[in-house]
Amino acid sequence: MLAAVRSAAVLGVHAYEVMVEVDATRGLPSWTIVGLAANAIKEARERVSAALGNSGFELPPRRYTINLAPADIRKDGTAFDLPIALAVLAATGQVNPEPLRRVIALGELGLDGALRPVRGVLPVAMRAARELPARPLVVPPANAREARLVEGLDLWTPPTLRDLVRCLRAGVPCEVAVPEVLDDAPPSHADLADVAGQETAKRALEVAAAGGHALLLVGPPGAGKTMLARRLPSILPPLADPEALEVLAVHSVAGLIASSSLRDVLRPFRAPHHSLSVAALIGGGSTPRPGEVSLAHHGVLFLDELQEMPRARLDALRQPMEDGKVVISRAQQSVEFPAQFALIGAMNPCPCGFAGDARRACACSAADVEKHRARVSGPLADRIDMTVHVPAVALQDLPSQPAGAGSAEVRARVVCARERQRQRFATQRGVRCNAQASGRWLDVHTPIEPAARTFLVQAAERAGYSARGYHRVLRVARTIADLESADGLTRAHVAEAIFFRAPARVPPPAERA
């Protein structure tokens, strides 16, 4: 007997329909799974067999042929356990196949028949609500809160296979109550006012948060670079609903959404160790998974000790920073992940870390300093909007340093600036902040005083900026104007953007001798 159950899989961050077909015929008992199934799916035979037996169902000795259509796309994961079990029950006459024609099922089965969580439920729920809203979506209880983020779903969350079959036989919705799990308290980000002094770096953080710009902090050890960067989440604007769904879709595919740690209102702040691999940074694997650049989508990727990362690994950031996405190609398919993130880097000015520091003399040679700075290649540096030198604050001056504006005050200015950008780019698809806007579009549509434009052109020619560098200065100047609620750009806005664009000026070793 032939039976079929609808399910779904995820390619990148987008879901597509998979029809699970089971044919149970007479012959030597065997299981054959076709349709480019990975090992995790082929192992479903053992899980499904044990789950059926321990749930009180029969598994007649038959020749079972299981097809996952479309058969030309490779599939991985354990989400097909539940639809395979349901199709086997229908093919052996233990469940009426008619109710199964309506449901969309996915979930891993424990050996006792319990439904366990799987990856990628949110993209599946988004597709089901958009294209098949009248069909019940069956997911494990642990994925329920993730799926409920999407409105307009007929959601079933049975705890076990036996409970689901009981509802199907009775012809009633499987509305099993899922106990509410309170979210952990949101992480308390330290306040920006905790940083003594460093007003220039604080201003750069505010501009970076307001416009989504890339920022590089350069300074000696202990100057406060990491302390500053880790306070950036406290001034980031909240996510809009479409942005939150995009962020959560990436995290769902990566398996990072848990029922007790759903963060749908916070922008991502990823801070991986500098020893991470290229695949962990950009994404990859035999079955491509999102990397840190995608997990930081609509948020911040903080790379501390930037100089410790190999240059080739850093250069892998160039295309995602420019395109806002990552395309991972394999022999059988290409997968695209979103990657619109703001890069915040922190590094020492030289191998010993004390170049330009008034407290200690630098012991590095000029060749060592040059090699150290060459870790950040020219093409990557050209994509970094702002570079700020963070000098160490003298210990005797720490008590007298002004606290400055707190995170709440700065965040209010950032939110107002982002709202101006939202209105400005309302007709620009995929653009939500100045850093994502086309430089040419801003050049044409941004009012700028003639004296300010002349100053910008002359400064760009004198410093040897590329066209990309010129437009990045323009983007930063536009953000500075947004923070002041100004419609046009003045010479002061352009001058501050050029100041942030210039690399940190640290005297070479020969001049410090």
Side-chain angles (χ1 to χ4, degrees):
M1 183 176 177
L2 178 65
V5 176
R6 290 178 184 270
S7 186
V10 177
L11 187 61
V13 292
H14 302 289
Y16 64 96
E17 181 180 292
V18 175
M19 186 66 71
V20 178
E21 302 171 320
V22 173
D23 180 37
T25 60
R26 295 185 180 276
L28 292 175
S30 64
W31 283 59
T32 303
I33 301 179
V34 297
L36 286 183
N39 288 335
I41 299 177
K42 294 179 179 179
E43 293 171 352
R45 167 185 175 176
E46 311 304 330
R47 293 191 297 271
V48 171
S49 300
L52 290 174
N54 292 325
S55 298
F57 303 109
E58 297 181 358
L59 187 61
R62 297 282 189 272
R63 179 185 177 188
Y64 296 97
T65 302
I66 302 164
N67 180 43
L68 308 177
D72 60 342
I73 301 178
R74 182 173 178 80
K75 305 164 190 73
D76 196 7
T78 57
F80 297 114
D81 288 5
L82 179 59
I84 289 175
L86 292 174
V88 168
L89 290 174
T92 55
Q94 300 178 69
V95 172
N96 186 353
E98 286 303 319
L100 290 178
R101 299 183 188 278
R102 297 188 59 250
V103 303
I104 305 170
L106 64 158
E108 179 182 332
L109 286 177
L111 299 185
D112 58 351
L115 268 67
R116 294 177 176 171
V118 294
R119 303 181 184 212
V121 167
L122 183 57
V124 173
M126 294 168 64
R127 183 186 184 280
R130 183 176 63 250
E131 300 182 11
L132 301 168
R135 296 182 179 273
L137 176 63
V138 183
V139 300
N143 293 119
R145 300 190 69 209
E146 180 181 347
R148 284 175 181 165
L149 291 170
V150 182
E151 298 179 354
L153 276 179
D154 182 10
L155 190 63
W156 293 9
T157 56
T160 66
L161 175 62
R162 183 184 304 168
D163 294 323
L164 176 58
V165 172
R166 186 183 301 119
C167 293
L168 290 171
R169 286 173 173 171
V172 297
C174 196
E175 298 176 352
V176 179
V178 178
E180 284 294 328
V181 180
L182 296 178
D183 283 339
D184 297 331
S188 57
H189 301 296
D191 198 277
L192 199 60
D194 297 337
V195 182
Q198 306 295 5
E199 295 304 316
T200 300
K202 290 180 182 178
R203 172 64 172 175
L205 276 184
E206 179 179 346
V207 175
H213 301 291
L215 170 64
L216 178 60
L217 302 172
V218 183
K225 304 183 296 297
T226 303
M227 186 179 183
L228 283 162
R230 292 196 177 277
R231 278 151 181 76
L232 182 59
S234 66
I235 64 174
L236 290 175
L239 284 166
D241 288 345
E243 293 176 326
L245 283 177
E246 291 180 24
V247 169
L248 292 173
V250 176
H251 285 239
S252 176
V253 172
L256 297 180
I257 292 184
S259 60
S260 60
S261 61
L262 197 59
R263 305 297 186 192
D264 56 272
V265 295
L266 299 179
R267 290 185 179 272
F269 182 83
R270 304 291 300 183
H273 193 263
H274 58 76
S275 62
L276 81 170
S277 64
V278 173
L281 179 64
I282 304 301
S286 57
T287 300
R289 300 287 188 213
E292 292 292 338
V293 296
S294 296
L295 295 174
H297 182 54
H298 289 319
V300 175
L301 176 63
F302 174 48
L303 298 181
D304 203 359
E305 305 295 344
L306 194 70
Q307 75 280 357
E308 298 298 330
M309 297 183 66
R311 177 169 172 171
R313 203 166 300 164
L314 287 174
D315 282 342
L317 293 168
R318 287 156 49 181
Q319 186 174 355
M321 291 178 66
E322 195 73 19
D323 299 340
K325 63 181 181 180
V326 172
V327 179
I328 301 173
S329 298
R330 294 292 181 265
Q332 296 177 340
Q333 61 191 16
S334 293
V335 177
E336 179 179 310
F337 294 109
Q340 289 183 335
F341 63 95
L343 174 67
I344 306 296
M347 64 179 291
N348 298 326
C350 66
C352 77
F354 294 101
D357 188 5
R359 302 172 303 171
R360 292 180 56 179
C362 175
C364 305
S365 66
D368 290 339
V369 173
E370 185 64 27
K371 182 179 179 181
H372 178 85
R373 296 179 183 178
R375 291 289 184 92
V376 180
S377 66
L380 178 60
D382 202 37
R383 290 168 168 82
I384 297 177
D385 302 319
M386 300 183 290
T387 300
V388 176
H389 181 55
V390 184
V393 179
L395 296 180
Q396 63 269 22
D397 296 336
L398 281 176
S400 61
Q401 289 293 324
S407 293
E409 179 182 344
V410 175
R411 188 172 190 262
R413 294 197 294 263
V414 169
V415 170
C416 291
R418 282 291 182 110
E419 176 59 24
R420 290 176 62 87
Q421 295 169 51
R422 187 191 66 81
Q423 297 176 7
R424 176 183 304 121
F425 302 123
T427 59
Q428 301 294 305
R429 184 177 180 183
V431 178
R432 296 178 174 88
C433 60
N434 290 328
Q436 300 169 1
S438 164
R440 176 62 178 167
W441 189 92
L442 276 180
D443 204 1
V444 173
H445 293 85
T446 299
I448 180 171
E449 295 178 355
R453 183 177 292 278
T454 301
F455 176 62
L456 174 58
V457 171
Q458 291 176 348
E461 290 178 347
R462 185 165 54 251
Y465 292 162
S466 64
R468 181 193 291 117
Y470 171 86
H471 285 140
R472 288 188 178 271
V473 171
L474 186 64
R475 292 187 182 101
V476 174
R478 178 66 268 178
T479 299
I480 294 171
D482 287 336
L483 286 169
E484 298 178 2
S485 299
D487 293 329
L489 301 187
T490 65
R491 182 186 174 97
H493 300 147
V494 172
E496 186 176 5
I498 292 175
F499 169 77
F500 284 136
R501 178 69 182 177
R505 296 180 177 85
V506 179
E511 296 180 12
R512 295 195 302 270

